[in-house]
Amino acid sequence: MDQNHWYEAGLGHIWLPYAQMKTMRPPLPVAGTQGCRIVLADGRELIDGIASWWTACHGYNHPHIRSAVERQLASMPHVMLGGLVHEQALTLARRLAALLPGDLDRVFFSESGSVAVEIAMKMAVQYGLNRGERRRTKFIAFKGGYHGDTNGAMAVSDPDQGFHDLFRGLLLEHFILNLPVGDESTAALDALLSRHGDTIAGIIVEPLVQGAGGMRFHDSATLQRLRTMADRCGALLIFDEIFTGFGRTGAMFACEGAGVVPDIVTLSKALTGGTLPLAATVASRKVFEAFWSDDPKMALMHGPTYAGNALACAAANASLDLFEREPLLAQVAALSEQMARELALCQGRGGVKDVRVMGAIGVVELEKIDDLDALRARFVEEGVFIRPFGNVIYLTPPFTISPDELTRLTSAIVKVIGP
Ligand SMILES: Cc1ncc(COP(=O)(O)O)c(C=O)c1O
């Protein structure tokens, strides 16, 4: 079908994410992707600064991942994990367990980040139940946090951005506090734990970077504090590494970089190098052992239909091959240094509040952005795909981006911000 036809014929039937369908600008029709570029149907090429919501860490269409998926497609695209297993899922589980720090070594597969978070929350509550602690049904989460769009994940995300008022009655209420980055916020969390500690199933946090909530950074001491507090009140510590996992912050996992081992980790996004949907909830030995029993009621009763999809696991195994073979973390360090140098030009310009970089995440925070759609369109005019939200313009490019392509991204930001 030619482009005009599929575009015009289909546009009236699709409902796009995060969009006011009435007022949004027409979405850009994409004909293909290659390396760090998005090729539009009219032939224009955009350098991608976002890597498709932070997934395409090796760039698009990586030949090694493509051929692994093609090979798997020829033998077995999918088989359910109920009562069955296959090589790709078991190999991936083993490799993830080996890569993660501490004794995080039981991998439960699902298909999206939000679902991985739901599973982590269910695991944490049932961990308490299986140990006879029936009161532990609440979570502590943090302002500025984002854990997904399903109901459980929304309920532990930032109350404003997660629309808690709008969905009052649908969402369960948890304790949402400021991250304990200073004395006052630490004292507030301490006080809450003294009063309600025995009702807390888990503390959930995006380690080192709160992504979709504003690309805000915190330090490893904050995570260490959470580790100590979780241990003190007998709650599980859950790190949501759906954004930070697989090199984005500079280390393979943020928990490793921070030197803090949680009880449960959630992974997705770059797990398959941006090719197929897959997520994992990884539990430590002590969590898994609470489910290990002769009693069937103590099993984890969860089972996404496409859990451990063989194509997705093959893509993830191929992505891990690339992390083993190629100096990707060194590339992250180099692009981090380049982004810091080039984005520093935004510092002190009108309306710029802060410029910060961690690993392969570059952020220019503005006082405010009046018209997000117009700003996004300006970037397309500059030949780049950059998608600001809230009051931040950010870059999360593929790790394989060339220095010239990266400069195109940073100079587009410098130009669009103006003097
Ligand atoms: C930290 C974090 N957790 C969870 C999610 C939800 O993942 P998904 O969109 O795959 O459901 C996201 C997505 O942006 C995320 O950044």
Side-chain angles (χ1 to χ4, degrees), residues 255-279:
C255 58
E256 188 195 341
V260 179
V261 183
D263 302 302
I264 300 176
V265 170
T266 55
L267 304 170
S268 188
K269 295 217 184 260
L271 173 57
T272 63
T275 47
L276 283 155
L278 184 67

Side-chain angles (χ1 to χ4, degrees), residues 214 353 363-369 372 388-393:
K353 198 168 159 193
V363 184
V364 179
E365 183 174 342
L366 304 180
E367 297 295 343
K368 64 177 169 42
I369 296 177
L372 268 178
F389 66 86
N391 64 336
V392 296
I393 302 174

Side-chain angles (χ1 to χ4, degrees), residues 132-265:
E133 295 185 302
R134 308 200 65 79
R135 279 166 54 79
R136 291 191 186 271
T137 55
K138 295 284 175 203
F139 286 85
I140 291 177
F142 300 99
K143 290 185 187 153
Y146 174 78
H147 299 285
D149 292 341
T150 52
N151 298 340
M154 266 169 93
V156 289
S157 296
D158 182 88
D160 294 329
Q161 290 171 34
F163 304 106
H164 288 200
D165 282 339
L166 187 63
F167 294 106
R168 196 169 292 285
L170 173 68
L171 302 185
L172 293 174
E173 284 182 24
H174 298 292
F175 299 107
I176 316 252
L177 285 86
N178 288 318
L179 266 172
V181 292
D183 291 347
E184 208 177 305
S185 45
T186 303
L189 188 49
D190 263 334
L192 182 103
L193 287 176
S194 308
R195 255 179 295 133
H196 300 287
D198 62 346
T199 67
I200 307 300
I203 302 179
I204 181 164
V205 66
E206 298 156 84
L208 298 182
V209 185
Q210 292 180 304
M215 297 291 168
R216 292 180 238 198
F217 303 164
H218 54 266
D219 61 8
S220 44
T222 303
L223 299 173
Q224 190 57 60
R225 226 165 272 143
L226 292 179
R227 178 70 275 176
T228 308
M229 288 176 171
D231 288 342
R232 206 180 63 214
C233 83
L236 296 180
L237 182 62
I238 303 170
F239 280 1
D240 178 350
E241 293 236 25
I242 287 164
F243 173 42
T244 54
F246 305 101
R248 187 53 69 184
T249 64
M252 189 62 174
F253 299 102
C255 58
E256 188 195 341
V260 179
V261 183
D263 302 302
I264 300 176
V265 170

Side-chain angles (χ1 to χ4, degrees), residues 302-327:
H302 204 100
T305 302
Y306 280 97
N309 171 262
L311 290 176
C313 290
N317 278 314
S319 173
L320 292 185
D321 293 342
L322 296 175
F323 275 100
E324 277 170 16
R325 282 187 208 162
E326 293 177 6

